[in-house]
């Protein structure tokens, strides 16, 4: 996984190209192959400018302030990152965390990656590394308060499945860096260590994300909306081990792509949040895994 960086270690290795592979589950910093000269026709399409406004830096990962299409200005703002970026450590396979108190702080960035301010969580609304790799924190600030105080609007989650070939930008608040590439395709099953993810996004090789980019929003540059969340990459060419995810197709065939990175789709998340940005795992169309005690 694009591993979360650990505080002082991240500072020590900042600027070293060798950061590839130093820290892992949030997008692991994989070594990538040269980008193939493809999808050039996509550049002719109109795109929205992508910047850092609304992204956040965690102590070990990246993230973003996000809203659902139905979110209202006075709803508590949500911060999205990876499940493996939790301050309590990575959830186990099959583990789902809901409504867990949290006082985590997030550094909010402006469009130029400058520090706009700090927002704080009140709880982990939802987190898991099963089927997907996501954490959603509820904060003590509303969207309106954040915009009034810092001039920052949230990023909106798309509700449509991302498209193959779509131009995307992976925006890392931790590293203050934007990686641009395209959606290369989709992986029915992506396995890494004990974890399994479904219908993952595979990037073209240009997105050479590294440790600390875990949790970065993946922006569809045609719409400006969040299409996925960055989470892992194959660093060493190993098969299905930690920091070396493998692809499994519908027929069970396993392939490994060293240096290639991945993200988890987010288009289904809005179906799991209702009025007031409240989590409702029983809502129609919500496919997020449920805690063991509530499964039927």
């Amino acid at each position: 996984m694009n591993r979360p960086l650990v505080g002082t270690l991240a500072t020590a290795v900042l600027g070293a190209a060798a950061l590839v592979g130093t820290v892992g589950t949030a997008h692991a910093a994989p070594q990538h192959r040269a980008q193939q000269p493809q999808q050039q026709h996509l550049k002719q399409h109109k795109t929205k400018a992508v910047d850092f406004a609304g992204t956040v830096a965690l102590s070990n990962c990246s993230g973003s302030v996000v809203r659902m299409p139905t979110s209202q200005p006075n709803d508590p703002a949500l911060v999205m990152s990876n499940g493996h970026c939790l301050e309590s450590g990575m959830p186990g396979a099959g583990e789902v965390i809901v409504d867990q108190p949290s006082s985590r702080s997030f550094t909010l960035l402006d469009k130029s990656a400058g520090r706009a301010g700090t927002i704080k969580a009140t709880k982990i609304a939802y987190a898991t590394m099963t089927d997907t790799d996501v954490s959603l924190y509820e904060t003590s600030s509303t969207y309106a308060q954040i915009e009034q105080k810092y001039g920052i609007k949230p990023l909106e989650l798309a509700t449509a499945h991302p498209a193959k070939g779509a131009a995307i930008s992976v925006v890392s608040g931790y590293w203050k860096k934007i990686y641009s590439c395209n959606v290369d395709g989709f992986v029915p099953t992506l396995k890494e260590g004990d974890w399994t993810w479904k219908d993952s996004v595979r990037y073209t090789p240009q997105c050479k994300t590294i440790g600390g980019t875990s949790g970065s929003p993946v922006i569809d540059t045609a719409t400006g909306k969040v299409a996925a969340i960055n989470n892992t990459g194959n660093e060493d060419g190993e098969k299905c081990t930690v920091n070396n995810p493998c692809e499994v197709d519908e027929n069970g065939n396993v392939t490994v792509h060293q240096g290639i990175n991945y993200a988890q789709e987010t288009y289904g998340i809005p179906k799991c949040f209702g009025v007031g940005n409240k989590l409702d795992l029983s809502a129609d169309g919500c496919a997020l895994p449920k805690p063991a005690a509530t499964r039927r």
Side-chain angles (χ1 to χ4, degrees), residues 33-244:
R33 300 173 293 186
Q35 169 66 19
Q36 299 295 322
Q38 56 185 330
Q39 299 120 356
Q40 293 181 354
H41 65 285
L42 293 173
K43 296 179 181 179
Q44 299 174 3
H45 295 178
K46 291 183 179 179
T47 61
K48 294 184 180 294
V50 174
D51 56 35
F52 293 92
T55 63
V56 302
L58 284 67
S59 58
N60 57 351
C61 288
S62 300
S64 57
V65 180
V66 297
R67 67 180 299 273
M68 310 299 160
T70 57
S71 295
Q72 299 300 307
N74 290 322
D75 289 343
L78 300 173
V79 169
M80 184 174 73
S81 188
N82 283 145
H84 73 256
C85 293
L86 289 178
E87 63 268 43
S88 55
M90 296 185 289
E95 184 178 1
V96 176
I97 297 166
V98 295
D99 293 329
Q100 178 175 299
S102 174
S103 57
R104 195 169 197 179
S105 296
F106 310 99
T107 301
L108 180 66
L109 304 184
D110 62 22
K111 65 180 182 180
S112 301
R115 181 189 178 111
T118 300
I119 55 178
K120 293 188 176 182
T122 56
K123 68 178 181 180
I124 300 167
Y126 183 87
T128 192
M129 287 178 66
T130 299
D131 293 350
T132 186
D133 184 4
V134 67
S135 59
L136 287 150
Y137 290 83
E138 184 175 300
T139 73
S140 58
S141 303
T142 66
Y143 296 117
Q145 289 171 336
I146 292 173
E147 184 171 3
Q148 181 179 20
K149 187 173 183 179
Y150 304 116
I152 302 296
K153 294 182 178 181
L155 302 177
E156 183 175 333
L157 296 186
T159 55
H161 191 287
K164 182 176 181 179
I168 54 175
S169 291
V170 183
V171 188
S172 172
Y174 187 94
W175 289 116
K176 300 176 174 61
K177 181 174 180 178
I178 298 175
Y179 302 80
S180 297
C181 60
N182 295 83
V183 174
D184 185 54
F186 305 99
V187 183
T189 300
L190 191 68
K191 293 181 64 65
E192 179 173 342
D194 294 334
W195 298 278
T196 300
W197 303 305
K198 297 179 179 178
D199 198 17
S200 302
V201 174
R202 182 200 308 115
Y203 304 145
T204 54
Q206 288 170 317
C207 280
K208 301 178 181 180
T209 49
I210 61 176
T213 64
S214 292
S216 299
V218 179
I219 309 297
D220 183 320
T221 61
T223 65
K225 296 181 180 180
V226 179
I229 180 172
N230 180 68
N231 83 307
T232 195
N234 187 293
E235 297 180 17
D236 308 310
E238 294 180 5
K239 183 178 178 180
C240 312
T241 62
V242 173
N243 306 318
N244 293 284

